[in-house]
């Protein structure tokens, strides 16, 4: 047996891959013809040429020093046999045989991949002529697996009750077999080995090693065998009782380190059994006795098993305590276990463990206790346990004042007193040097109890000022200069979820959320867009922020108006612009709820993104994208292609499942909640369908479908009812059949009207495009005409400056044009124009007493106008000739 465990590996010379490949090529290229060597050794004419033989053989071995080729093994074997016969008379051949044996230690060489299969028989015959050697450990293990040794040893345990020494050797052998092979573990389990080992591990044992070996075998079976099969075998009443006896024996009598480790190993096995729903831990009273250990030493108990128990507070005791807390979580799936927790005051013990470390360190001198590091690990483990158990035991949680205890711990977590977390263990991750780990698990417990929806718990939290406290914690963390990590983001997200659970259904709590809470949500909405895809958890934080808006802001006019004034709607629309599709549902639902406020539509309609896109256009783009995902029939312009299926998705068209029961919603109804179209339609109902800003013709085509969405959905439901009746073979009475046909026809007619409306939009757009195109061509023609005139003017200028004859012609033309444009003689012009009178300035205006212009008298001066002539002399003075006074009338 020692040869199986302690085996030495043969020394193999190191050969570099590059050298070896080079040598293989050399041997292959320069290989000797073995037939000539054999003929040299066997031919009677050359059989006695010993010197010649040794020279050729040495040359052959030198060229094969990296290994023999597989195809040459037959010839090599024959040569070695001849040399072995000659050794009797000529000892000089011994060195040849020794050198050949050394080469045989090396792997054989092949020239082709198929050589291994081709020359397999040659290798077998060659090795058979080389003599015997010890088999490999792997070969021996393989033979053990194929035998029934493990099962035989296991079955023989029943006959060794009075022979403890042999029984111990048998267990040690089974321990080796189970620890070295998965197949041996499977064979042992097939013979109910786990159950057998467990039932015999408490028998009298002078050596004290039987329990240890039995535990190791069970561990090997759990690690290398089928875990579910092992736990199933150990879940019987007899096995559970045997484990209980072994555990409490070690608990009360084990003081050495190995005994404490073995005790914890048995507790781990018990924990694995607890995962099996058919385990009998409660029926065997093992669980009840373990509950006494869970509450020890935090609670005083009269349990005789633990009343006189004294812990050493070593690391092994700490592991046992943590294993017991973990056992609480595993057993909490059983309702009878919860009743046991109440009887043993488990909730009270957990709340005592989670108290702030400074307040719970009531230690008297001379008494042993947990160290600060151990106490921190227990505190975090207890908080993790509460997160699972507290929602299942809310009455017990409230009777033990769990909310007050957790809020005190939360105050301690944000306090400025000196505390440096060690960060040991799984639950202390990320909390080294701070209280972050305690805050993380404390918030988790509060989230788990508030999400249960128990009104008494939520009201108790609100009465203690939890809303303002959590807002303060959140903003304090946000103002911290420390860099954010995944744990910090998880805490912030959980706090927002707690606030949502507290305020969702209560108007007064939304008022308590107030402007401070609204500012918090606005802060995270602005911040979330930058790091949404960072991978740390900003996406979850942003989603919890939107949920906080929905639950804590919407529904209270005070918080809604403040949210609108602070441009909260714009932030939600910005989020809708760049966020992935999975976020659109909750954002649209929040916007829809906000639209119940009369001030919301104006904020939505006034929004613009960085590219100038309006909210209606964004919503219509989302609608088209959603229909593309659903596979709804549309042409390239977005028009309805099938009036009988105007909004039917591809999935609904292919769905051929039988009709659903009457108490379940049909596919047409379920579809409403599974996509965004119903939310977008509802928002447009709040905004209206007329005079929407920033829409293109394509948007109007889509808007015509959105406007009729409800009509189409009603027709779709009635069509589904008609098909279900047809599948069931039910024919409605004639009036109902007529009504059903009319309704389906109305839906189709509506789709046709929408199609006609869409066509009119597209025709109008086509005309506008043609008109714009013509205008563009007119502008292009005018532009090219101007370019031609400019070019012609330039050519004329160049010709005038470069050709003197042309310049003279142009000058003559210009002079002729000037002469023709001169006026006639001034005297002729004066005679042709007689003297005329011209009304001069107004001399007087007098009222006449009547209304309007008729009641005004105006006195005017008249002056003579004469044509200017060469002999005309302007008089120095002129007496004005006055008109008679007249009244100005219409």
């Amino acid at each position: 047996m020692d040869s199986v465990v302690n085996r030495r590996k043969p020394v193999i010379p190191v050969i570099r891959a590059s050298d070896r490949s080079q040598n293989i090529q050399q041997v292959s290229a320069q290989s000797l013809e073995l037939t000539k060597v054999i003929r040299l050794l066997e031919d009677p004419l050359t059989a006695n040429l010993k010197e010649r033989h040794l020279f050729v053989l040495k040359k052959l071995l030198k060229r094969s020093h990296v290994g023999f080729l597989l195809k040459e093994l037959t010839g090599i074997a024959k040569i070695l046999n001849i040399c072995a016969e000659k050794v009797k008379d000529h000892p000089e051949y011994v060195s040849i045989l020794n050198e050949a044996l050394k080469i045989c230690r090396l792997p054989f060489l092949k020239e082709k991949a198929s050589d291994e299969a081709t020359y397999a028989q040659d290798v077998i015959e060659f090795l058979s002529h080389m003599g015997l050697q010890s088999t490999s450990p792997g070969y021996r293990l393989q033979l053990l697996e194929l035998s029934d040794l493990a099962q035989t040893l296991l079955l023989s345990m029943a006959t060794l009750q009075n022979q403890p020494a042999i029984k111990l050797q048998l267990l040690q052998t089974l321990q080796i077999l189970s620890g070295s092979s998965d197949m041996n573990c499977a064979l042992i389990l097939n013979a109910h080995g786990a159950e057998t080992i467990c039932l015999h591990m408490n028998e009298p044992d002078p050596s004290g090693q039987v329990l240890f070996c039995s535990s190791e075998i069970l561990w090997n079976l759990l690690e290398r065998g089928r875990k579910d099969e092992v736990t199933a075998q150990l879940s019987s009443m007899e096995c559970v009782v045997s484990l209980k006896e072994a555990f409490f024996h070690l608990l009360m009598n084990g003081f050495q380190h190995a005994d404490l480790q073995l005790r914890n190993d048995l507790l781990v096995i018990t924990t694995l059994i607890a995962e099996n729903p058919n385990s009998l831990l409660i029926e065997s009273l093992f669980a009840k006795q373990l509950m006494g250990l869970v509450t020890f030493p935090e609670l005083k108990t009269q349990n005789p098993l633990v009343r006189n128990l004294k812990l050493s507070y070593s690391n092994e005791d700490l592991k046992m305590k943590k294993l017991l807390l973990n056992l609480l979580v595993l057993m909490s799936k059983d309702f009878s276990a919860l009743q046991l927790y109440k009887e043993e005051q488990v909730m009270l013990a957990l709340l005592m463990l989670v108290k702030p470390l400074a307040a719970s360190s009531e230690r008297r001198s001379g008494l042993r206790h947990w160290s600060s590091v151990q106490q921190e690990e227990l505190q975090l483990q207890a908080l993790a346990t509460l997160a699972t158990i507290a929602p299942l035991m809310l009455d017990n949680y409230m009777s033990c004042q769990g909310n007050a205890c957790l809020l005190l711990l939360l105050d301690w977590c944000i306090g400025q007193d000196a505390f440096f977390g060690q960060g040991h263990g799984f639950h202390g991750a990320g909390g080294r040097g701070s209280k972050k780990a305690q805050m993380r698990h404390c918030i988790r417990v509060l989230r788990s109890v508030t999400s249960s929806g128990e009104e008494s718990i939520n009201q108790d939290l609100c009465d203690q000022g939890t809303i303002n406290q959590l807002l303060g914690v959140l903003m304090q963390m946000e103002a911290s200069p420390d860099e954010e990590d995944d744990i910090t983001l998880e805490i912030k997200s959980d706090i927002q979820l707690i606030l949502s659970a507290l305020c969702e259904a209560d108007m007064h709590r939304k008022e308590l959320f107030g402007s401070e809470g609204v500012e918090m949500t606005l802060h995270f909405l602005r911040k979330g867009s930058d790091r949404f895809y960072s991978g740390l958890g900003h996406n979850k934080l942003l989603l919890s922020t939107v949920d906080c808006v929905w639950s804590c802001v919407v529904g209270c006019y005070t918080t809604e108006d403040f949210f609108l004034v602070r441009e909260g709607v714009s932030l939600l629309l910005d989020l809708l612009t760049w966020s992935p599709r999975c976020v659109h549902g909750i954002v649209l639902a929040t916007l829809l709820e906000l639209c119940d406020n009369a001030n919301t539509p104006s904020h939505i309609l006034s929004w613009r993104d960085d590219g100038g896109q309006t909210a209606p256009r964004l919503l219509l783009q989302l609608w088209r994208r959603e229909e593309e995902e659903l596979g709804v029939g549309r042409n390239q312009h977005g028009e309805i292609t099938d009036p009988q299926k105007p909004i039917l998705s591809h999935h609904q068209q292919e769905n051929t499942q039988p009709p659903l029961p009457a108490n379940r919603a049909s596919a047409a109804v379920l579809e409403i909640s599974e996509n965004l179209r119903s939310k977008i339609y509802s928002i447009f109902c709040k905004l209206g369908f007329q005079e929407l800003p920033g829409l293109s013709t394509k948007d109007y085509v889509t808007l015509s479908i959105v406007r009729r969405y409800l009509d189409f959905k009603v027709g779709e439901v009635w069509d589904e009812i008609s098909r279900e009746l047809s599948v069931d073979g039910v024919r409605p009475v004639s009036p109902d059949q007529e009504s059903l046909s009319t309704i389906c026809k109305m839906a189709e007619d509506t789709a046709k009207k929408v199609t006609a409306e869409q066509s009119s939009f597209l025709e109008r757009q086509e005309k506008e495009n043609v008109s714009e195109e013509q205008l563009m061509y007119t502008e292009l023609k005018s532009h090219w005409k101007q370019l031609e005139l400019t070019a012609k003017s330039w050519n004329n200028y160049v010709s005038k400056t470069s050709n003197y004859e042309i310049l003279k012609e142009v000058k003559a033309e210009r002079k002729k044009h000037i002469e023709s444009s001169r006026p006639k003689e001034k005297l002729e012009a004066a005679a042709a124009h007689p003297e005329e009178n011209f009304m001069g300035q107004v001399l007087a205006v007098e009222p006449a007493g009547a209304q309007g212009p008729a009641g005004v008298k105006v006195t005017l001066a008249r002056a003579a106008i004469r044509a200017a002539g060469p002999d005309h002399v302007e008089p120095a003075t002129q007496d004005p000739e006055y008109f008679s006074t007249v009244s100005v009338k219409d």
Side-chain angles (χ1 to χ4, degrees):
M1 191 60 62
D2 294 337
S3 63
V4 177
V5 180
N6 301 319
R7 53 182 180 269
R8 298 180 59 189
K9 298 181 179 179
V11 180
I12 300 175
V14 178
I15 301 175
R16 296 182 181 178
S18 59
D19 297 341
R20 185 174 177 183
S21 62
Q22 183 178 359
N23 291 329
I24 292 173
Q25 295 176 357
Q26 182 179 358
V27 172
S28 177
Q30 303 178 3
S31 64
L32 297 174
E33 295 184 6
L34 298 182
T35 56
K36 293 182 180 181
V37 177
I38 295 173
R39 188 183 308 119
L40 177 66
L41 295 173
E42 291 182 338
D43 194 331
L45 298 177
T46 59
N48 296 324
L49 300 178
K50 182 178 64 175
E51 298 296 333
R52 179 65 176 171
H53 295 169
L54 295 176
F55 175 77
V56 173
L57 292 173
K58 288 180 180 179
K59 188 175 181 181
L60 172 64
L61 296 177
K62 182 178 180 181
R63 292 181 177 178
S64 302
H65 70 282
V66 296
F68 294 121
L69 289 172
L70 289 173
K71 70 177 183 179
E72 296 179 345
L73 289 181
T74 302
I76 295 294
K78 191 171 184 178
I79 292 173
L80 293 180
N81 287 332
I82 296 174
C83 292
E85 292 177 358
K86 292 182 178 292
V87 167
K88 300 176 182 178
D89 299 328
H90 303 284
E92 292 86 353
Y93 287 92
V94 174
S95 61
I96 300 297
L97 293 175
N98 291 335
E99 188 65 26
L101 291 175
K102 290 180 181 179
I103 296 176
C104 290
R105 295 171 55 191
L106 302 176
F108 299 133
L109 306 179
K110 60 182 180 180
E111 291 180 334
K112 302 178 181 178
S114 61
D115 284 355
E116 292 183 355
T118 304
Y119 301 105
Q121 187 62 33
D122 294 347
V123 175
I124 294 174
E125 294 177 359
F126 180 82
L127 293 177
S128 64
H129 287 85
M130 295 300 296
L132 299 175
Q133 64 178 3
S134 60
T135 59
S136 64
Y139 177 76
R140 296 194 297 271
L141 180 60
Q142 183 179 4
L143 293 182
L144 285 174
E145 290 176 346
L146 296 176
S147 67
D148 58 352
L149 176 62
Q151 293 175 324
T152 304
L153 294 176
L154 184 68
L155 295 175
S156 60
M157 285 188 62
T159 63
L160 300 176
Q161 295 182 359
N162 299 325
Q163 301 178 12
I166 300 177
K167 176 184 176 182
L168 178 60
Q169 292 181 358
L170 186 147
L171 287 174
Q172 291 173 344
T173 305
L174 286 174
Q175 179 184 346
I176 295 172
L177 293 176
S178 63
S180 59
S181 170
D182 295 350
M183 185 175 293
N184 284 335
C185 290
L187 294 173
I188 293 173
L189 286 176
N190 291 337
H192 294 275
E195 182 179 3
T196 303
I197 296 296
C198 184
L199 292 177
H200 289 84
M201 66 182 181
N202 289 321
E203 294 177 354
D205 174 30
S207 65
Q209 294 296 314
V210 172
L211 185 57
F212 173 78
C213 289
S214 300
S215 174
E216 288 296 317
I217 295 172
L218 293 178
W219 268 111
N220 291 336
L221 294 177
L222 286 168
E223 291 178 350
R224 307 182 71 100
R226 299 187 302 273
K227 179 182 174 182
D228 54 346
E229 178 66 22
V230 178
T231 55
Q233 292 185 19
L234 296 179
S235 297
S236 64
M237 179 64 73
E238 294 79 7
C239 289
V240 172
V241 171
S242 180
L243 281 172
K244 179 180 68 171
E245 292 176 358
F247 174 79
F248 281 104
H249 170 73
L250 292 172
L251 179 67
M252 304 305 297
N253 302 312
F255 301 101
Q256 299 182 0
H257 184 72
D259 295 334
L260 299 181
Q261 285 184 330
L262 182 55
R263 176 199 64 188
N264 291 344
D265 290 344
L266 293 177
L267 188 56
V268 173
I269 295 174
T270 305
T271 302
L272 296 176
I273 295 174
E275 295 180 358
N276 186 0
N278 298 323
S279 65
L280 301 175
L281 292 177
I282 297 177
E283 291 79 358
S284 64
L285 301 181
F286 192 12
K288 182 175 179 63
Q289 293 170 346
L290 290 176
M291 293 307 103
L293 286 177
V294 172
T295 60
F296 180 83
E298 287 74 31
L299 298 179
K300 294 181 179 180
T301 179
Q302 299 300 321
N303 190 333
L305 288 174
V306 297
R307 183 169 52 189
N308 298 323
L309 177 64
K310 293 183 179 180
L311 295 177
S312 62
Y313 296 97
S314 62
N315 287 333
E316 296 301 325
D317 288 340
L318 176 66
K319 291 179 182 178
M320 182 187 71
K321 187 75 172 179
K322 294 171 68 175
L323 286 171
L324 290 170
L325 294 176
N326 185 52
L327 184 63
L328 293 177
V329 177
L330 296 175
M331 294 178 60
S332 63
K333 301 175 183 178
D334 192 345
F335 179 77
S336 57
L338 299 178
Q339 292 297 118
L340 185 61
Y341 295 169
K342 294 179 181 179
E343 295 173 2
E344 297 296 328
Q345 296 182 317
V346 170
M347 182 64 67
L348 181 59
L350 291 175
L351 291 175
M352 292 184 67
L353 281 174
V354 304
K355 285 184 178 180
L357 297 182
S360 63
S361 58
E362 299 173 359
R363 307 168 182 175
R364 289 177 291 180
S365 59
L367 295 178
R368 303 187 68 178
H369 47 72
W370 301 111
S371 66
S372 59
V373 177
Q374 292 174 333
Q375 196 169 4
E376 181 186 358
E377 288 195 44
L378 289 177
Q379 182 190 40
L380 295 174
Q381 183 85 18
L383 283 169
T385 305
L386 272 176
T388 302
I389 295 179
L392 305 175
M393 304 173 59
L394 294 176
D395 294 339
N396 198 226
Y397 172 82
M398 289 297 294
S399 63
C400 295
Q401 298 181 350
N403 285 339
C405 182
L406 292 175
L407 292 179
L408 287 175
L409 178 62
L410 186 60
D411 281 337
W412 174 80
C413 290
I414 62 175
Q416 300 299 325
D417 56 324
F419 174 79
F420 301 98
Q422 300 299 319
H424 295 298
F426 171 77
H427 298 290
R432 190 170 184 84
S434 66
K435 306 174 185 177
K436 187 181 294 184
Q438 284 81 358
M439 178 180 290
R440 177 191 189 186
H441 289 285
C442 179
I443 294 297
R444 275 188 181 180
V445 179
L446 288 173
R447 188 195 67 185
S448 64
V449 296
T450 54
S451 61
S452 64
E454 182 63 33
E455 183 58 27
S456 60
I457 292 180
N458 293 348
Q459 186 61 48
D460 181 65
L461 286 171
C462 293
D463 292 342
Q464 298 186 54
T466 305
I467 294 178
N468 291 330
Q469 182 179 3
L470 290 176
L471 287 174
V473 172
L474 192 57
M475 298 314 295
Q476 180 178 342
M477 294 179 66
E478 191 64 18
S480 175
D482 298 336
E483 185 176 356
E484 287 184 331
D485 54 12
D486 55 340
I487 296 177
T488 303
L489 294 173
E490 178 189 337
I491 295 173
K492 294 177 181 179
S493 179
D494 286 345
I495 289 176
Q496 291 183 342
L497 292 176
I498 295 171
L499 292 171
S500 299
L502 293 177
C503 300
E504 183 175 5
D506 191 282
M507 186 66 65
H508 176 64
R509 296 172 193 171
K510 293 183 180 183
E511 293 175 352
L512 293 177
F513 187 78
S515 59
E516 182 181 358
V518 173
E519 287 289 354
M520 179 272 294
T521 58
L522 294 172
H523 170 76
F524 285 107
L525 286 176
R526 294 190 187 98
K527 179 182 176 182
S529 60
D530 298 333
R531 304 179 183 178
F532 188 83
Y533 297 101
S534 65
L536 294 177
H538 287 89
N539 53 341
K540 297 179 181 178
L541 179 60
L542 189 59
L543 286 174
S544 62
T545 303
V546 177
D547 183 68
C548 201
V549 173
W550 192 354
S551 302
C552 304
V553 176
V554 176
C556 177
Y557 288 117
T558 304
T559 53
E560 280 184 359
D561 290 341
F562 189 76
F563 184 79
L564 295 175
V565 170
R566 299 289 290 167
E567 299 182 353
V569 169
S570 298
L571 295 176
L572 290 176
L573 289 171
D574 291 338
L575 175 60
L576 195 63
T577 303
W578 56 260
S579 62
R581 183 175 180 272
C582 59
V583 183
H584 294 165
I586 185 173
V587 177
L588 288 174
T590 306
L591 285 172
L592 179 58
E593 294 292 334
L594 281 171
C595 283
D596 289 338
N597 190 313
N599 298 324
T600 302
S602 61
H603 287 270
I604 294 178
L605 294 175
S606 62
W607 174 82
R608 301 290 187 278
D609 66 358
D610 295 336
Q613 182 177 232
T614 62
R617 187 169 189 178
L618 173 62
L619 294 174
L620 293 173
Q621 286 182 356
L622 293 178
W623 179 283
R624 289 193 291 270
R625 198 177 305 162
E626 189 73 11
E627 288 194 333
E628 184 178 354
E629 292 285 339
L630 295 173
V632 181
R634 298 284 184 266
N635 63 11
Q636 60 180 351
H637 301 295
E639 294 179 283
I640 297 174
T641 56
D642 188 355
Q644 295 182 349
K645 303 172 184 178
I647 60 172
L648 201 65
S649 66
H650 180 70
H651 172 71
Q652 289 177 274
Q653 296 179 27
E654 292 185 345
N655 191 6
T656 58
Q657 65 179 9
L660 298 174
N663 58 350
R664 292 185 59 184
S666 63
V669 178
L670 289 176
E671 187 266 345
I672 296 176
S673 60
E674 293 175 351
N675 59 73
L676 308 179
R677 292 191 294 180
S678 60
K679 298 180 180 64
I680 296 175
Y681 166 75
S682 300
I683 293 177
F684 271 109
C685 289
K686 300 290 184 179
L687 299 178
F689 295 93
Q690 302 294 333
E691 299 180 357
L692 296 175
L695 299 186
S696 63
T697 301
K698 188 175 183 179
D699 295 327
Y700 280 112
V701 171
T702 306
L703 185 63
S704 62
I705 300 176
V706 177
R707 183 186 303 164
R708 298 295 185 179
Y709 173 74
L710 184 59
D711 297 333
F712 292 152
K713 180 56 66 175
V714 171
E716 182 183 321
V717 172
W718 280 108
D719 183 67
E720 192 175 64
I721 293 173
S722 178
R723 284 187 284 107
E724 289 184 0
L725 292 175
S726 177
V727 171
D728 293 338
V730 178
R731 182 190 180 281
V733 296
S734 298
D736 291 344
Q737 180 67 38
E738 183 179 353
S739 301
L740 188 61
S741 301
T742 303
I743 293 173
C744 295
K745 188 67 170 58
M746 288 175 60
E748 184 177 352
D749 292 342
T750 303
K752 291 180 179 178
K753 291 179 181 178
V754 172
T755 304
E757 185 179 0
Q758 291 175 330
S759 300
S760 66
F761 288 144
L762 294 175
E763 291 175 2
R764 187 187 311 162
Q765 179 64 32
E766 183 66 22
K767 292 180 181 179
E768 292 178 359
N769 293 339
V770 171
S771 176
E772 291 178 359
E773 185 177 357
Q774 291 177 349
L775 179 61
M776 180 185 68
Y777 281 125
T778 303
E779 292 178 354
L780 287 175
K781 290 173 64 177
S782 175
H783 176 69
W784 282 107
K785 186 66 176 178
Q786 184 66 30
L787 290 178
E788 291 176 359
L789 293 176
T790 303
K792 185 177 181 180
S793 175
W794 172 253
N795 292 333
N796 292 334
Y797 175 76
V798 171
S799 62
K800 286 188 297 183
T801 56
S802 60
N803 193 329
Y804 181 69
E805 297 297 329
I806 296 177
L807 180 61
K808 289 195 299 181
E809 292 178 2
V810 171
K811 188 174 181 180
E813 288 290 333
R814 183 180 299 170
K815 186 175 181 181
K816 182 178 179 180
H817 178 71
I818 293 174
E819 292 294 335
S820 64
S821 62
R822 284 180 178 177
K824 297 180 179 180
E825 292 297 332
K826 295 182 179 180
L827 293 176
E828 297 177 356
H833 294 82
E835 182 178 301
E836 296 179 356
N837 293 323
F838 177 74
M839 293 184 182
Q841 63 182 7
V842 178
L843 298 180
V845 178
E846 299 179 2
Q851 297 293 330
V856 179
K857 293 182 179 181
V858 180
T859 303
L860 301 176
R862 183 176 59 185
I865 300 177
R866 296 179 181 178
D871 299 334
H872 176 74
V873 179
E874 186 71 24
T877 60
Q878 183 178 357
D879 296 330
E881 179 181 357
Y882 295 95
F883 290 120
S884 59
T885 303
V886 297
S887 298
V888 180
K889 297 183 180 180
D890 294 337

